[in-house]
Amino acid sequence: MKENKLWKLFTSTFMLSAFTFGGGFVIVSLYNKKFVEELEWLEEEEMLDITAIAQSSPGPIPVNASVILGYRMAGILGSIVAILGTILPPFVIISLISVFYTQFKSNQIIAIALQVMRAGVAAVILDVVVDLGKHVLDTKNIVYIVVMLLAFIGTYFFNVGAMYIIFTCLAIGLVTVYLDLRKEKDNGTSVDSIR
């Protein structure tokens, strides 16, 4: 049973990695469709958490997401299997391209194909942004919504670096968690004192 799950994990990450163009944001949205909607291995909230961690950690987003996803599915062996499934296709493709780089670089057909693929990638990334934005709005948490809007304004209008945005959001998240825990503790203490 576990071997079957590991094989499914490997083939899923391998196929997604092999046929996905456009970087981490694109593959993470496809992970969501595969592992949340199709296979139902994860909840939507878990996938959002994985996405946030993968984006904020150093390294490629798909590999980071694979580590967490694989571990969640089957422990350390699951992480290794998911990483292999994710890195093998780009490794093989980039190795082949590097051998024929000069031919690729000067080929007009490949240049046009890459331009067309950029348009498709932009559409997929926009889909991811809208999807993640909807999930934030669905929480109806004013702090999350304001942070999302301020992060967008900071990056789009003022060219604030991604790391500043991520660390600021991390700080706000930690403060929010601290205040929530403190509120729970105070409510718990007041209930105990009434008894």
Side-chain angles (χ1 to χ4, degrees), residues 147 149-169:
V147 166
L149 292 173
L150 290 176
F152 173 75
I153 291 167
T155 55
Y156 189 77
F157 294 106
F158 300 106
N159 293 322
V160 177
M163 289 310 300
Y164 295 116
I165 298 288
I166 289 168
F167 284 124
T168 303
C169 290

Side-chain angles (χ1 to χ4, degrees), residues 87-102:
I87 65 171
L88 281 176
F91 177 76
V92 170
I93 292 167
I94 294 298
S95 296
L96 289 172
I97 288 173
S98 67
V99 171
F100 302 105
Y101 179 71
T102 52

Side-chain angles (χ1 to χ4, degrees), residues 66-88:
S66 295
V67 171
I68 301 165
L69 180 71
Y71 189 81
R72 171 68 176 78
M73 295 299 103
I76 292 174
L77 186 57
S79 284
I80 293 167
V81 166
I83 291 168
L84 284 174
T86 301
I87 65 171
L88 281 176

